[in-house]
Amino acid sequence: DTATTEIYTLSLHDALPTPKKFLKLNRNAMPGYAIFVSSVIMQIFLFFVVMADNIYLAALSISGMMILPPYFFSGLYLWKATLRPEWLRNPSRVRLLRFRVVGVICSINCLWMIYAGGLDLLMLSSWFYLPGFFFYVKVRNRDRRPTPRNVISCFTVAERWQLAAMVACAVMSALFVR
């Protein structure tokens, strides 16, 4: 199954907190612990699907909202790249203008879609982004030697603000979103 393969691959590259358990193969040359973990996770989600009303629509809404921030930041980056033509390979004035228009339209469209979807969904989606920070810290600490003593010191100032905003959104969604 794909989840098991992903867990095993992440362990091979030392991106999971406990890679040794996930690397252990059973007598059939399969990553047994990874199969167990992915099966438990799938069973939990299947339980939620069976027990909750409209869970499919809720999952669809949240996943739709989760793709909007990356699109928004991609549009902002394209817009920023047109302000620094040295970042692009030999851009003509027409291409710079075209890229700038696409970046602005993309950013505005994403903001409108986030507003139309509701800020409650955006805050709720932060719960799904937060676990990624643990993998980020693991890989950042592995690639940057010596390893910092505390977790916060591996982040830049901008990343600390992003993490704080993500935690704040998660807490607010837990308190206010119904």
Side-chain angles (χ1 to χ4, degrees):
D1 113 302
T2 305
T4 303
T5 306
E6 291 297 323
I7 292 171
Y8 183 71
T9 304
L10 286 169
S11 297
L12 282 175
H13 297 288
D14 197 28
L16 286 177
T18 56
K20 302 242 183 306
K21 286 184 179 181
F22 290 105
L23 285 174
K24 200 173 197 178
L25 300 177
N26 63 16
R27 67 177 182 256
N28 297 323
M30 296 297 293
Y33 192 73
I35 291 172
F36 172 74
V37 169
S38 66
S39 296
V40 167
I41 291 171
M42 284 189 287
Q43 291 300 317
I44 290 170
F45 281 104
L46 282 174
F47 176 76
F48 284 134
V49 167
V50 170
M51 297 308 285
D53 294 333
N54 300 323
I55 192 72
Y56 178 76
L57 294 177
L60 188 63
S61 298
I62 290 172
S63 62
M65 182 60 77
M66 286 181 67
I67 197 63
L68 291 175
Y71 280 154
F72 173 69
F73 288 117
S74 296
L76 287 180
Y77 184 79
L78 181 61
W79 192 4
K80 181 180 178 179
T82 62
L83 299 176
R84 298 177 187 243
E86 65 272 8
W87 288 6
L88 305 170
R89 283 183 265 151
N90 301 326
S92 65
R93 291 178 62 85
V94 173
R95 288 186 81 193
L96 276 175
L97 180 62
R98 188 180 318 145
F99 290 161
R100 187 169 296 151
V101 168
V102 168
V104 169
I105 290 173
C106 174
S107 302
I108 291 171
N109 185 40
C110 285
L111 280 177
W112 171 251
M113 289 174 66
I114 289 170
Y115 171 75
L119 293 178
D120 55 341
L121 275 179
L122 181 66
M123 290 189 301
L124 200 56
S125 69
S126 64
W127 283 103
F128 296 96
Y129 284 121
L130 277 176
F133 278 100
F134 296 110
F135 294 105
Y136 181 76
V137 168
K138 173 80 171 157
V139 173
R140 174 69 70 91
N141 285 342
R142 183 194 67 200
D143 293 343
R144 184 189 289 174
R145 302 286 187 222
T147 303
R149 287 183 178 243
N150 64 14
V151 171
I152 297 299
S153 65
C154 77
F155 292 115
T156 64
V157 173
E159 291 167 343
R160 289 178 192 168
W161 280 106
Q162 290 171 354
L163 179 60
M166 199 73 66
V167 169
C169 284
V171 168
M172 288 190 321
S173 74
L175 295 175
F176 301 116
V177 175
R178 299 270 177 229

